[in-house]
Amino acid sequence: MKVIGVRVSTKGSTNSFFAEINRNIESKLNLYVYKHPNDNIYLTIAYTSSPLDPGKSFRGMSNIEKSKIISIEKQLGKNESVIVALKERCEFYDLIESYNVFLSIPYIIEKGRRIFCVFGDQRNIDKYLENLGAYYGKNNITTKKTTLSECIRLNIGGYVSSYILSALTKREKEILVKAFSLGYISHRRRTTLEDLSLEIGLAKPTTSIMVRKAVEKLVKKILEDNNIQDSYN
């Protein structure tokens, strides 16, 4: 059997609880799904580098029954959040299993869209995509052939970037993105500290401190999580 891969992006189902939550946050949701070996029950773990406002983010809690969620647990941190849910079998997983294709995890929900990779032989992939289009509406899905390595980069890259960025506050992320986009932290600096500070509306000393603090946090998280920091002390 020749295995092919397809990257799929779908508009979130109106009954998707996690898509609804994602619409209320700025970062991606990374989802890990595990099926119980004896029952049609799925454990879904969703991770995001954004803090979740219990009131705003979970306004769609009334959608739980439609989403076939049995129980849910929220672990809400200052800069990151985890949602653990038990789900009954639903249409999304029915299609995966019915047409003998394989879902690569974690997959991503971003801006309300479900982005994932599936693998299988050409015949099963074609049948799966045909029925996926019938479920979501052909105009609501986009597909692109992919390779295993590209899919791994999509999955792991989405998780790793979200995890590393969880070290920063929302304001620190904004400042770092602006500093990067303007070329302030480029090896060939394309803008001045004064111009950057004017762009983000802070005093020059404060801007300098915020940029250095954000970079320090990112490097520290990378080194600590890889047990590298102690090697250089």
Side-chain angles (χ1 to χ4, degrees):
M1 178 182 74
K2 182 179 179 180
V3 176
I4 66 169
V6 177
R7 176 178 173 175
V8 184
S9 175
T10 72
K11 288 185 179 178
S13 163
T14 55
N15 294 336
S16 173
F17 175 72
F18 289 106
E20 185 62 33
I21 286 182
N22 178 248
R23 292 186 184 100
N24 292 313
I25 61 177
E26 296 181 353
S27 59
K28 305 171 185 175
L29 272 181
N30 300 278
L31 277 82
Y32 299 79
V33 183
Y34 306 94
K35 184 182 179 183
H36 191 283
N38 299 321
D39 297 300
N40 286 325
I41 301 294
Y42 299 83
L43 175 67
T44 301
I45 303 173
Y47 173 86
T48 177
S49 59
S50 291
L52 295 181
D53 182 323
K56 181 179 179 182
S57 299
F58 292 90
R59 195 171 293 161
M61 290 291 276
S62 59
N63 221 17
I64 281 186
E65 288 187 8
K66 292 181 180 179
S67 300
K68 299 186 179 180
I69 292 178
I70 301 169
S71 64
I72 191 165
E73 177 186 344
K74 305 181 291 292
Q75 300 174 11
L76 309 182
K78 184 177 180 181
N79 295 319
E80 58 185 351
S81 304
V82 176
I83 306 166
V84 181
L86 282 178
K87 276 178 65 87
E88 293 179 349
R89 185 167 174 162
C90 67
E91 291 82 357
F92 178 71
Y93 302 119
D94 275 340
L95 288 171
I96 294 288
E97 295 175 14
S98 296
Y99 296 98
N100 296 317
V101 296
F102 303 92
L103 173 68
S104 181
I105 59 172
Y107 68 89
I108 296 167
I109 296 182
E110 183 176 19
K111 297 179 180 178
R113 298 186 68 93
R114 199 190 308 250
I115 303 169
F116 57 96
C117 293
V118 288
F119 293 90
D121 64 27
Q122 186 70 62
R123 182 180 178 185
N124 287 334
I125 288 288
D126 289 343
K127 287 183 177 179
Y128 168 75
L129 293 178
E130 180 181 350
N131 284 274
L132 187 71
Y135 175 66
Y136 281 102
K138 289 185 178 180
N139 294 331
N140 293 327
I141 69 169
T142 57
T143 63
K144 178 184 178 182
K145 282 191 175 181
T146 188
T147 63
L148 181 58
S149 59
E150 287 174 342
C151 186
I152 290 172
R153 286 197 295 272
L154 168 69
N155 294 342
I156 295 179
Y159 168 75
V160 170
S161 61
S162 294
Y163 178 69
I164 292 173
L165 287 173
S166 69
L168 305 182
T169 65
K170 179 181 177 181
R171 184 58 169 154
E172 287 170 341
K173 290 177 191 175
E174 292 172 349
I175 291 172
L176 195 60
V177 168
K178 183 63 70 174
F180 180 80
S181 64
L182 293 178
Y184 179 73
I185 55 178
S186 171
H187 71 288
R188 291 183 178 179
R189 190 168 287 178
R190 301 193 305 273
T191 193
T192 64
L193 178 60
E194 182 176 6
D195 288 340
L196 177 62
S197 63
L198 288 172
E199 187 74 25
I200 62 179
L202 294 174
K204 285 171 57 177
T206 304
T207 299
S208 178
I209 291 171
M210 291 288 285
V211 171
R212 285 187 282 115
K213 185 177 179 181
V215 172
E216 180 184 12
K217 280 186 174 183
L218 290 181
V219 174
K220 182 179 179 182
K221 191 169 186 68
I222 293 169
L223 295 182
E224 285 182 344
D225 289 342
N226 288 278
N227 298 316
I228 296 175
Q229 190 175 23
D230 292 341
S231 302
Y232 295 93
N233 289 337

